[in-house]
Amino acid sequence: MDADLRRFAIFYFCYYAALGAYTPYVGRWVASLGHGGYVVGTMLGLWYATRILAPPVWARRVEASARPGHWFVAGSALTLLCFAGFTLTRSAWALFAVMAAFGLFYNAVMPQFEAMTLKALGTRSGDYGRIRVWGSIGFLIVASTYGWLLDRLGDGAFPWITLPLLLLMLAAAWPHRHDTPPDHLDTLEDAGHLWKRPGVRRFLLVALLMQLGFGAFYVFYTLHLARHGHDGATIGALWGLGVLIEIAMFWQSPKLLARFGAPALMSFCIALTVVRWTATALLADSLAWMALAQLTHCFSFAIFHACCMRRMSDLFPGKRAAAGQSLLYGFSSGVGGVLGAALAAGMWEWRGGTAAFLAGAAATLIAFILHALRAKPLPAPTG
């Protein structure tokens, strides 16, 4: 990897390293402040809600600027500044305010950076995976170690040990201050006219339901395992195991897609995810079963994501690709994430982690049925 592309890999590493601290452990920290499942769920719901709003708003500001790279550095700096507010907050409403501000900037800079990366790659777009994989490596290292670290420093240390990662992210953003994105960053508004294309709504609904099913995992997985007697080091190792197998399977996804095809692989991934959430709900006391469930993350996330990207290339070919990605990002990750966090919070308050993960399994089962009933091509007329 040449020096120019190395700086892109470094930012991916730092950005997702910070995410590796935030996603698995923010719920544990909020719970340690004495808040219940609704507050934890709302925190993650706000996180996903900002994914709907932040990218298009930020894209407009970037497009109107003569120095978009400076906006990128400023967004990274404001991410750090807003997160620092967590060191001063304890009440639910204060946490929500800081979360909304932090999420807006943190979720805004990555779509801009993705566009900058693709522009830098130019005709070498096939090298994207080799750069993006460093983000997964950063997530893996932090997610697998921070549980152990919090066991020793106490849950109250969470914002303080996450701040240095965001400071590193800002430092990694600085070399990109003179970079420019493509001439046009597509937003959800650009993709709106694609909503009625054949197969789009069914596909997006399946993707939304899969994301909804992940709600309990992203919001309560750490707390669920802790309630069943697993310590922070073990929980961190389980998070790391899922990401490690995800990285390995991403490299194999082209071969699997070529052999089995996206529709069949998607059905398998969705069905296996139903089993995964059911096992997590009912067998959380067993470390062996939890490790086995985490190994299926390579299909629940990595291969399913690869299948979605293949499906996207069919539904949104050529110049429609970027607009389609905006539509998928906002609808699935944004709306699906918000609904998933809300459902998980309600189930957690009602019957704990078992109910939350069974609800996720039910949502994923609906996704499987919808995918299995996808429209078949009409037979050719006879006579």
Side-chain angles (χ1 to χ4, degrees):
M1 186 185 301
D2 61 48
D4 186 58
L5 294 182
R6 192 177 299 122
R7 62 193 177 98
F8 288 87
I10 290 171
F11 183 82
Y12 277 118
F13 180 93
C14 295
Y15 181 95
Y16 284 102
L19 192 63
Y22 179 81
T23 302
Y25 301 112
V26 66
R28 172 175 168 174
W29 173 63
V30 172
S32 75
L33 298 177
H35 299 296
Y38 287 126
V39 175
V40 176
T42 301
M43 287 284 287
L44 269 294
L46 283 169
W47 168 258
Y48 287 110
T50 59
R51 288 187 171 186
I52 304 172
L53 177 64
V57 172
W58 192 258
R60 293 193 196 98
R61 298 298 93 205
V62 170
E63 286 181 329
S65 173
R67 297 178 177 179
H70 290 194
W71 276 85
F72 176 66
V73 175
S76 299
L78 288 168
T79 298
L80 171 65
L81 181 64
C82 291
F83 188 88
F86 282 129
T87 64
L88 306 173
T89 53
R90 292 294 180 270
S91 71
W93 288 109
L95 288 171
F96 296 159
V98 174
M99 176 67 252
F102 163 66
L104 277 172
F105 293 111
Y106 193 63
N107 283 318
V109 297
M110 181 47 67
Q112 181 188 358
F113 186 69
E114 293 271 43
M116 291 158 58
T117 303
L118 292 174
K119 182 176 182 180
L121 285 170
T123 59
R124 298 176 291 172
S125 59
D127 290 334
Y128 171 81
R130 296 181 180 179
I131 298 174
R132 172 59 179 81
V133 73
W134 286 97
S136 296
I137 293 171
F139 187 99
L140 169 65
I141 292 172
V142 174
S144 61
T145 57
Y146 262 44
W148 173 87
L149 200 57
L150 287 174
D151 281 349
R152 277 139 188 84
L153 299 179
D155 293 337
F158 166 76
W160 297 102
I161 62 176
T162 305
L163 276 172
L165 297 175
L166 292 167
L167 182 60
L168 287 174
M169 187 187 97
L170 174 58
W174 181 252
H176 298 275
R177 63 192 181 278
H178 300 305
D179 291 4
T180 59
D183 295 332
H184 178 69
L185 292 176
D186 292 278
T187 70
L188 282 174
E189 293 175 0
D190 302 309
H193 67 286
L194 302 175
W195 173 253
K196 295 183 179 180
R197 299 191 71 215
V200 168
R201 283 172 289 185
R202 184 185 297 272
F203 166 71
L204 290 176
L205 187 55
V206 169
L208 182 151
L209 287 167
M210 275 291 282
Q211 181 68 48
L212 195 156
F214 266 88
F217 179 70
Y218 288 135
V219 181
F220 293 114
Y221 183 67
T222 297
L223 293 174
H224 180 57
L225 292 186
R227 284 191 173 185
H228 285 268
H230 303 289
D231 60 23
T234 301
I235 296 169
L238 287 169
W239 274 98
L241 178 62
V243 180
L244 184 63
I245 197 69
E246 165 196 324
I247 294 170
M249 192 58 77
F250 262 131
W251 288 101
Q252 298 299 318
S253 59
K255 295 180 181 178
L256 291 173
L257 282 166
R259 180 173 181 180
F260 298 105
L265 272 178
M266 284 186 74
S267 293
F268 179 75
C269 292
I270 299 170
L272 193 61
T273 305
V274 175
V275 177
R276 177 188 183 184
W277 299 146
T278 303
T280 304
L282 303 177
L283 302 170
D285 290 332
S286 170
L287 177 59
W289 275 108
M290 291 303 94
L292 185 61
Q294 280 297 85
L295 286 175
T296 67
H297 187 69
C298 62
F299 287 99
S300 298
F301 180 78
I303 298 300
F304 182 80
H305 179 72
C307 290
C308 285
M309 293 304 101
R310 175 64 60 86
R311 185 69 175 135
M312 290 290 288
S313 68
D314 296 333
L315 292 171
F316 307 104
K319 294 181 179 179
R320 296 187 177 98
Q325 289 288 346
S326 297
L327 188 61
L328 177 66
Y329 189 84
F331 192 79
S332 172
S333 184
V335 177
V338 171
L339 295 178
L343 176 64
M347 293 298 100
W348 179 271
E349 286 295 317
W350 179 50
R351 286 290 188 272
T354 299
F357 279 97
L358 285 177
T364 309
L365 179 60
I366 296 172
F368 178 81
I369 295 171
L370 283 174
H371 184 259
L373 295 176
R374 64 187 183 279
K376 304 292 192 302
L378 294 175
T382 58

